Amino acid sequence: MNTIFTFLSGLIANNNREWFQTHRTEYDEAWGKFNSFLEQLIAEMGKFDASISFLSPKDCTYRIYRDLRFSPDKTPYKGHFGAYINADGKKAYYGGYYVQLEPHEVILASGVWWLPTAEMRALRQAIVDQVDAYAAIVEEPKFKAICPSIGMEHFKRLPNGIPKDFPHPEYVMCKNFTCCCSMSPDEFLTMSVSEIAEKFHLMKPFNDFLKENILINFEEMEGMKDVVKFV
């Protein structure tokens, strides 16, 4: 696995097509290591989430090439390897499991990055209506130890429709329902695949709550551009 971090460090320092082509063999080796790791990880996670057991790494991985069409940053390659493990696909609107390896950080994450306004409003209302069940998930000590907060961005005030006296405003003020476990590459390299899978196992009840309470209007989805949750 060190091969992955070594290659990505070089790529970040030399993010251009000439360097990449010169180091294509190193890329192929690192990418192969990442896919081998994912295959083992999916097998381990399938023991507690049978819905993903049929997936292969190619169902989950993102390309190393950046989409430059709308970005002011024209560097051609991402500085990380990423994969989204979700039975409904990489563009699913339900919670999944995300892993990202980069030279200075490893991210294990879960949840949903984006939902349409109506569906997000309904999910927040479900949390209000089932606050005890939701609290039991996000306040569970082992879960909270690896995922101390929900959401990467937060509103400064309660969203419309939430009762002002709701006892846990922090549960509904996040702009996205994601949880994240971050660690250094050195820590990651000391862990077995089963230990990594166990962290995702702790996140599964959070994903299950989301899936049970996200009601997607697929006719509405047809008229909307797909949004990729994690990049």
Side-chain angles (χ1 to χ4, degrees):
M1 296 288 280
N2 262 319
T3 304
I4 296 174
F5 298 108
T6 300
F7 170 77
L8 291 173
S9 293
L11 178 60
I12 290 173
N14 304 274
N15 198 328
N16 60 76
R17 291 180 176 84
E18 292 75 19
W19 185 91
F20 188 87
Q21 290 305 318
T22 301
H23 294 79
R24 182 72 194 219
T25 300
E26 291 97 317
Y27 164 72
D28 290 340
E29 181 181 358
W31 189 244
K33 294 280 188 184
F34 184 57
N35 279 263
S36 178
F37 159 71
L38 286 176
E39 188 172 16
Q40 297 174 59
L41 180 62
I42 291 168
E44 284 292 326
M45 293 171 63
K47 295 175 182 178
F48 62 79
D49 188 344
S51 72
I52 66 166
S53 58
F54 72 93
L55 295 174
S56 67
K58 69 179 182 180
D59 297 318
C60 308
T61 51
Y62 292 107
R63 288 159 47 91
I64 191 70
Y65 309 100
R66 295 182 61 249
D67 185 348
L68 307 181
R69 291 174 297 172
F70 309 108
S71 174
D73 178 1
K74 298 303 179 182
T75 51
Y77 307 105
K78 300 171 186 173
H80 62 266
F81 287 168
Y84 189 46
I85 303 170
N86 191 315
D88 297 304
K90 287 181 285 186
K91 294 183 179 181
Y93 293 95
Y94 300 111
Y97 311 96
Y98 179 70
V99 56
Q100 178 171 302
L101 308 187
E102 53 185 284
H104 305 295
E105 185 181 29
V106 172
I107 297 171
L108 308 177
S110 188
V112 174
W113 178 256
W114 181 89
L115 283 173
T117 300
E119 283 75 8
M120 184 65 83
R121 186 182 299 117
L123 177 57
R124 291 195 178 97
Q125 186 60 51
I127 292 172
V128 171
D129 294 340
Q130 304 173 62
V131 63
D132 290 342
Y134 185 78
I137 294 168
V138 299
E139 303 295 346
E140 197 282 324
K142 290 183 179 179
F143 174 87
K144 201 167 181 66
I146 65 169
C147 301
S149 64
I150 303 299
M152 298 179 67
E153 296 181 352
H154 299 81
F155 294 109
K156 294 182 178 180
R157 60 182 182 180
L158 280 174
N160 291 336
I162 304 299
K164 300 300 182 183
D165 60 350
F166 181 56
H168 292 285
E170 69 276 13
Y171 290 172
V172 292
M173 291 180 69
C174 47
K175 295 182 179 181
N176 43 68
F177 284 88
T178 57
C179 60
C180 180
C181 173
S182 175
M183 67 188 72
S184 70
D186 287 342
E187 181 183 356
F188 174 79
L189 290 170
T190 67
M191 299 174 64
S192 67
V193 175
S194 61
E195 288 173 327
I196 296 166
E198 181 56 28
K199 293 190 180 296
F200 284 123
H201 194 181
L202 293 171
M203 299 179 193
K204 184 177 183 296
F206 178 68
N207 265 351
D208 290 345
F209 183 93
L210 298 181
K211 188 164 187 175
E212 290 167 5
N213 291 284
I214 291 174
L215 304 176
I216 296 295
N217 181 336
F218 287 101
E219 291 184 2
E220 177 188 5
M221 295 296 103
E222 288 297 319
M224 300 180 66
K225 182 179 178 180
D226 283 337
V227 176
V228 177
K229 281 44 159 202
F230 297 102
V231 180

